[in-house]
């Protein structure tokens, strides 16, 4: 069984601060996805990283896939209240037939 | 419809009763998934349907759980003799291709059904 550990589980910060969320595993994944889920909604895909060492930017969000494709990070610059939500990482196994989700990081950005 | 539709959005039931949860995937999507999400947690895979192939039921937690997908479209997840530990949000997702295909790697989620077993 492939496991993904996310840290921290909870994060409460002030508007304008920077933060980093981590997603770690002992397993290798063919790709890794990041989702954001708002209360009462389903998760929405933000980005997919595929290549070891890959960095993708989405406005103030920077996603990085580890060189060994076992871990990933999400960095948010100058967080805003609209960034509040549950951030989930999900790894696709090498066979491409199973997506495993991490436990999520619940982020609250206070104005 | 434009997105994945799930009904009901909320369901409160008594312990021991059966419940049916419905998922209407995006039109034309061949793959359909059910997940369970406990309060504020990650997603637990339950079952996967692809076209007319036999479903992957490897994530179903017990034989009280079953799912059908009729006509390759709408799916129903049934939980028999509900228990309090079944309380969770049940999410459905669909994708335009099978697992292992590029298109199949992108899943679109519904808003979920929040099940509360009293």
């Amino acid at each position: 069984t492939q496991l993904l550990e996310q840290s921290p589980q909870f994060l409460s910060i002030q508007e304008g601060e920077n933060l980093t969320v981590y997603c770690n595993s002992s397993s290798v994944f063919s790709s890794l996805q990041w989702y954001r889920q708002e209360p009462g909604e389903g998760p929405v895909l933000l980005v997919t990283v595929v290549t070891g060492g890959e960095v993708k930017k989405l406005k103030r969000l920077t996603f990085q896939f580890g060189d060994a494709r076992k871990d990933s990070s999400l960095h948010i610059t100058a967080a805003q209240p609209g960034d509040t939500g549950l951030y989930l990482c999900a790894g696709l196994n090498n066979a491409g037939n199973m997506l495993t989700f991490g436990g999520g990081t619940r982020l609250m950005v206070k104005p | 419809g434009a997105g994945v539709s799930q009904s009901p959005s909320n369901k409160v039931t008594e312990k021991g009763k059966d419940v049916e949860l419905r998922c209407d995937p995006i039109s034309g999507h061949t793959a359909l998934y059910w997940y369970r999400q406990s309060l504020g947690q990650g997603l637990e895979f339950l079952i996967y349907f692809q076209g007319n192939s036999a479903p992957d039921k490897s994530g179903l937690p017990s034989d009280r759980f079953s799912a059908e997908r009729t006509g390759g479209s709408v799916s129903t997840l049934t939980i028999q003799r509900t228990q309090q530990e079944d309380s969770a949000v049940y999410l459905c997702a669909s994708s335009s291709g099978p697992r292992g295909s590029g298109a199949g790697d992108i899943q679109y989620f519904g808003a979920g059904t929040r099940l509360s077993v009293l």
Side-chain angles (χ1 to χ4, degrees):
Chain A
T1 303
Q2 296 182 301
L3 295 176
L4 276 168
E5 300 282 342
Q6 285 190 242
S7 62
Q9 287 185 294
F10 301 96
L11 191 55
S12 180
I13 61 173
Q14 292 295 134
E15 181 176 2
E17 292 183 6
N18 301 333
L19 67 116
T20 302
V21 173
Y22 299 94
C23 176
N24 295 302
S25 176
S26 58
S27 302
V28 176
F29 295 99
S30 65
S31 64
L32 198 134
Q33 300 175 344
W34 284 93
Y35 293 79
R36 182 169 71 206
Q37 183 179 20
E38 299 188 22
E41 301 293 329
V44 175
L45 180 66
L46 296 174
V47 77
T48 301
V49 285
V50 179
T51 307
E54 182 177 4
V55 176
K56 280 192 174 178
K57 290 193 174 185
L58 188 65
K59 297 183 180 177
R60 292 175 295 99
L61 279 61
T62 302
F63 304 85
Q64 184 162 9
F65 202 11
D67 291 342
R69 307 206 316 275
K70 293 183 179 180
D71 53 79
S72 181
S73 63
L74 159 59
H75 182 78
I76 302 179
T77 304
Q80 299 178 359
D83 296 328
T84 293
L86 179 68
Y87 289 81
L88 295 159
C89 65
L92 187 66
N93 65 354
N94 286 330
N97 61 4
M98 183 57 67
L99 195 62
T100 301
F101 283 81
T105 292
R106 185 164 296 282
L107 172 65
M108 177 175 289
V109 183
K110 300 175 185 176
Chain B
V4 177
S5 177
Q6 291 188 245
S7 61
S9 55
N10 286 283
K11 177 71 176 178
V12 180
T13 190
E14 293 179 350
K15 178 181 172 181
K17 295 285 179 73
D18 297 352
V19 295
E20 284 190 353
L21 313 180
R22 177 188 168 105
C23 173
D24 204 337
I26 293 173
S27 178
H29 278 196
T30 59
L32 186 147
Y33 304 77
W34 282 99
Y35 294 90
R36 180 169 67 178
Q37 184 177 32
S38 299
L39 185 62
Q41 299 296 310
L43 278 62
E44 174 189 3
F45 166 76
L46 297 178
I47 189 168
Y48 162 73
F49 294 92
Q50 169 55 38
N52 295 320
S53 302
D56 175 0
K57 304 180 182 180
S58 61
L60 295 179
S62 77
D63 58 9
R64 295 187 295 105
F65 289 72
S66 62
E68 289 185 340
R69 188 179 185 194
T70 54
S73 181
V74 172
S75 176
T76 303
L77 176 68
T78 300
I79 308 174
Q80 296 178 308
R81 305 181 301 281
T82 53
Q83 303 294 313
Q84 288 183 331
E85 60 263 30
D86 299 334
S87 296
V89 175
Y90 289 83
L91 290 161
C92 175
S94 69
S95 60
S96 59
R99 293 186 305 195
S101 69
D105 296 343
I106 301 174
Q107 298 183 27
Y108 298 85
F109 286 84
T113 293
R114 181 175 296 279
L115 175 66
S116 299
V117 182
L118 304 179

